[in-house]
Amino acid sequence: MRIKLYLVALISLTLTLFTSVATAATSAKAEAASKFSMEPTTNQGQRWRIGYYEGGEYPDYQRELIVTVRSLMDMGWIKKADIPPQKGDQTSDLWRWLSESAQSDYIEFVKDAHYNANWDDNLRAQMKTDIIKRLSEKKDIDLMIAMGTWAGLDLANNEHSTPTLVFSASDPLSAGIIKSIDDSGYDHLHATMDPFRYDRHIRVFHDITGFKKLGIAYENTQNGRSYAAVDTIEALSKELKFTIVPCYTKSDIADVSMAEHSVIDCFQKLAPKVDAIYITEQGGVTRKTLPVIVKTAQKYNVPTFSQSGSEEVRYGVLASLSQFNFKYFGEFHAQTMARIFNGAKPNELPQLFEEPARMALNLKTAEIIGFNPSLLLLGASDEIYREVETPQ
């Protein structure tokens, strides 16, 4: 028992090693934020009007929007209701339901304010122009949710002043969305971030597997490297003494099938020549390709770690840091929105979100690839899956 407790403490230390630095840097903002109420309030008797913009469909986007809405329900901003099951990764049906069926005296999800660029560069350029024109001239939106890196980059400017919250951007700092952890660069801009999240991923993955050759598939662009945390991985490769084996994919493109095929091709190339794979967030990692990715890694007995979180562990990835169904993200987003509606400027509020130190593990995958989980891993895992489920 003492050994187990020691090992659990060790992995917990690894998971939280760097968050104290960021916490100290944002403590002043956290104190300032506490002065703003989160109680439901109207906009001078009118409902606050919310808009939404995403670069394209991605599983995390739908999940983060849902948990944010649920948190707003818990806080009394929206009347509690069951959100209908969603088809695929799209958010358009969800937004339609929110605009037509969500009951609230305080906020409104504006029906014609849902924007999706479908990972199309030309459509994105036109959409950015249209949204900024609406925000700066029509001014009928009180708060914009910018979901993901594309949307964050497009609205992180001084061409408008509408409060804008950036959700689900892998690394808004390296992507150039914000100036620093403490300063977004614009009074109206806020981007949720955990600067050491991916550092923790790689350290924990290395601790539990001891890999010497780490495979990563990603789009070799500025955004692609940001999504995959390539700079972080390169720095850690020197410290932890492992070799990076890259494979380049297509990600932010309108042709999802091409992105999916590029990911499958990369995993088939990587699996035979590496001893671990970090599955990064990108357009080609979908419910369709994930089972192929998992089976390819299992065929070569290669342990995998999901950058996205425990949802992919449910479907056969070996391990990840759990996000408890994104619940904590939703609470953070909802609280930020509530304080803005109560008078706070977005850049007055903390951007730092410290992901809870929770592990997820798939024991069936561990059995298939011959991976024997240590006491350290089992003791620190509170999401354990015993089968490989199929994405719906």
Side-chain angles (χ1 to χ4, degrees):
M1 179 60 72
R2 288 183 178 178
I3 293 175
K4 182 174 182 179
L5 290 174
Y6 170 75
L7 292 173
V8 173
L10 181 60
I11 196 169
S12 296
L13 178 62
T14 303
L15 291 169
T16 59
L17 181 61
F18 297 99
T19 57
S20 60
V21 177
T23 301
T26 58
S27 59
K29 276 198 170 183
E31 183 178 352
S34 66
K35 299 176 182 177
F36 292 97
S37 172
M38 295 188 290
E39 291 299 314
T41 185
T42 63
N43 182 11
Q44 298 180 349
Q46 302 297 315
R47 292 189 296 172
W48 299 96
R49 292 168 57 87
I50 301 175
Y52 177 94
Y53 174 35
E54 65 184 13
E57 292 182 8
Y58 189 69
D60 286 1
Y61 297 172
Q62 183 190 99
R63 291 197 286 266
E64 287 208 35
L65 181 56
I66 288 174
V67 295
T68 301
V69 170
R70 284 178 178 157
S71 292
L72 287 169
M73 290 179 178
D74 291 340
M75 295 169 65
W77 286 85
I78 306 171
K79 184 178 179 180
K80 288 191 176 183
D82 292 330
I83 298 174
Q86 302 298 304
K87 296 179 180 179
D89 299 327
Q90 52 75 37
T91 57
S92 56
D93 289 348
L94 173 60
W95 193 263
R96 188 178 303 110
W97 180 86
L98 290 171
S99 66
E100 296 175 352
S101 301
Q103 298 181 33
S104 173
D105 294 329
Y106 309 103
I107 58 178
E108 173 187 357
F109 298 92
V110 181
K111 191 170 185 177
D112 69 346
H114 177 280
Y115 298 89
N116 179 355
N118 292 316
W119 302 123
D120 183 298
D121 286 318
N122 294 326
L123 180 58
R124 175 191 182 185
Q126 182 59 53
M127 196 158 283
K128 174 184 177 181
T129 299
D130 292 344
I131 294 172
I132 289 178
K133 183 177 181 180
R134 180 174 186 171
L135 299 180
S136 60
E137 296 181 10
K138 193 175 181 181
K139 297 183 178 180
D140 66 332
I141 302 297
D142 299 307
L143 183 142
M144 280 295 296
I145 297 172
M147 192 68 81
T149 300
W150 266 27
L153 285 168
D154 287 351
L155 299 185
N157 53 58
N158 57 11
E159 297 176 50
H160 71 99
S161 58
T162 301
T164 299
L165 305 185
V166 182
F167 298 172
S168 202
S170 295
D171 188 343
L173 183 57
S174 69
I177 296 173
I178 60 174
K179 181 179 177 182
S180 70
I181 297 174
D182 293 321
D183 181 10
S184 69
Y186 304 95
D187 284 347
H188 62 278
L189 183 68
H190 179 284
T192 301
M193 70 173 300
D194 182 348
F196 301 113
R197 179 186 180 196
Y198 305 125
D199 187 294
R200 294 195 299 273
H201 282 192
I202 301 304
R203 288 182 185 277
V204 170
F205 194 25
H206 188 266
D207 283 348
I208 65 178
T209 64
F211 58 78
K212 298 297 183 183
K213 291 184 179 179
L214 178 66
I216 51 172
Y218 60 94
E219 186 175 65
N220 194 26
T221 62
Q222 180 179 351
N223 283 348
R225 289 176 62 88
S226 174
Y227 299 158
V230 173
D231 290 347
T232 295
I233 297 172
E234 287 177 345
L236 286 174
S237 70
K238 299 173 183 177
E239 178 186 340
L240 301 178
K241 307 212 176 333
F242 63 83
T243 301
I244 299 171
V245 182
C247 186
Y248 303 134
T249 62
K250 298 289 185 181
S251 178
D252 292 353
I253 57 175
D255 190 339
V256 176
S257 179
M258 181 182 291
E260 291 176 333
H261 279 95
S262 73
V263 166
I264 291 172
D265 182 60
C266 266
F267 273 79
Q268 291 173 341
K269 291 177 179 177
L270 288 173
K273 56 185 179 182
V274 299
D275 47 32
I277 297 177
Y278 185 49
I279 302 177
T280 64
E281 298 180 22
Q282 56 185 299
V285 178
T286 65
R287 288 179 170 88
K288 181 179 178 180
T289 61
L290 193 57
V292 181
I293 291 170
V294 167
K295 288 179 181 178
T296 301
Q298 289 176 346
K299 177 182 177 181
Y300 292 95
N301 298 325
V302 175
T304 50
F305 194 101
S306 167
Q307 184 184 44
S308 178
S310 59
E311 186 78 4
E312 292 184 352
V313 178
R314 178 190 297 272
Y315 301 135
V317 176
L318 176 64
S320 184
L321 294 192
S322 167
Q323 293 174 349
F324 198 63
N325 295 324
F326 284 72
K327 175 182 177 182
Y328 300 115
F329 280 99
E331 290 175 352
F332 185 79
H333 297 330
Q335 291 170 7
T336 299
M337 293 171 69
R339 288 189 167 108
I340 290 171
F341 292 147
N342 275 282
K345 293 180 180 178
N347 200 24
E348 287 183 293
L349 303 175
Q351 299 183 120
L352 174 66
F353 171 80
E354 296 181 81
E355 185 179 20
R358 304 166 64 93
M359 286 292 296
L361 177 68
N362 192 300
L363 292 181
K364 186 63 177 179
T365 292
E367 176 188 340
I368 292 171
I369 68 174
F371 175 79
N372 185 23
S374 66
L375 287 174
L376 180 152
L377 182 55
L378 290 172
S381 297
D382 53 7
E383 282 192 58
I384 295 179
Y385 300 97
R386 291 176 169 79
E387 298 295 335
V388 174
E389 298 182 21
T390 301
Q392 300 299 314

